Amino acid sequence: MDPWKLIEERLHERDELEKKDGAYFKAFSQLARLLPQGNASLAEKERQVLISENETLIERLNQQTLRLESSEGKVAQQDKKIRSLESTVAQLNSKIDHLVLEVAEKNRTVEIINDEHLVHEIQQNVLKEEIEKLKKENESLVQRWMAKVAQDADSMNQGNEK
């Protein structure tokens, strides 16, 4: 908005505010001129009524001011609480981010451990098969050796019998 336009609007508002009570001042001055000097007690009563109204308005203004100050204090407290809560939210979000990274790292570690476990199971199965193969081969060799020893023993026995 144009700054000159803003100044013009504010001056217009000020003029309206000042002129608002101008009609009352004119009416009171005309009333004072029309009243004869002998009706001073009536003017005094009117003055007392105006003073009383003025005091009432001042009291209401003071009450409104106190309410406003109280509200401003509450607003300040709530602003402070909001800033505190925003700080807490930021800290908790940071902690959540850290925990998400930690969980991701642990998941990668679990996958590595699972892969290693699978490799070890495969190696164990291969070794079991190899052990079975070697046992069979060993049995075969032992049987062949026993057969050879039995044959040698038979041939010695035949040689001794002759």
Side-chain angles (χ1 to χ4, degrees):
M1 179 177 238
D2 182 22
W4 295 109
K5 185 77 170 171
L6 183 63
I7 291 171
E8 184 179 322
E9 285 178 12
R10 287 189 179 166
L11 286 173
H12 181 68
E13 288 173 10
R14 184 203 66 189
D15 290 344
E16 285 182 14
L17 184 65
E18 288 178 356
K19 290 177 183 176
K20 181 175 80 172
D21 295 331
Y24 294 118
F25 291 123
K26 281 183 182 178
F28 282 124
S29 64
Q30 288 175 355
L31 183 61
R33 272 187 263 134
L34 292 176
L35 288 176
Q37 294 299 336
N39 285 336
S41 65
L42 181 62
E44 183 61 28
K45 285 181 185 178
E46 195 65 34
R47 189 177 77 77
Q48 290 298 329
V49 168
L50 290 174
I51 289 173
S52 173
E53 286 180 8
N54 190 27
E55 288 174 357
T56 304
L57 290 174
I58 288 173
E59 173 117 2
R60 286 179 50 201
L61 178 63
N62 287 338
Q63 288 174 354
Q64 288 293 345
T65 303
L66 290 174
R67 281 191 220 127
L68 178 64
E69 288 174 356
S70 173
S71 296
E72 287 174 348
K74 288 178 184 176
V75 167
Q77 286 177 341
Q78 289 176 350
D79 284 346
K80 185 177 179 183
K81 189 172 184 178
I82 287 171
R83 284 191 299 275
S84 172
L85 291 174
E86 285 174 344
S87 172
T88 303
V89 166
Q91 289 173 349
L92 291 175
N93 282 335
S94 173
K95 190 172 183 178
I96 287 171
D97 292 343
H98 175 72
L99 290 174
V100 165
L101 291 175
E102 189 175 325
V103 166
E105 183 63 31
K106 286 183 180 183
N107 285 340
R108 283 191 291 272
T109 304
V110 166
E111 282 188 32
I112 290 171
I113 290 172
N114 283 338
D115 290 346
E116 288 178 1
H117 178 69
L118 185 60
V119 166
H120 289 299
E121 281 185 0
I122 291 171
Q123 286 177 344
Q124 183 181 10
N125 289 338
V126 168
L127 289 175
K128 280 182 182 179
E129 288 174 4
E130 195 171 321
I131 287 172
E132 285 298 318
K133 183 180 167 184
L134 288 174
K135 279 183 181 179
K136 286 180 183 178
E137 187 178 331
N138 187 30
E139 278 183 30
S140 170
L141 286 174
V142 166
Q143 286 176 356
R144 281 180 29 212
W145 182 67
M146 290 297 277
K148 172 100 171 118
V149 168
Q151 186 182 14
D152 286 345
D154 284 341
S155 65
M156 276 187 170
N157 281 339
Q158 285 179 359
N160 282 345
E161 285 182 9
K162 290 188 179 178

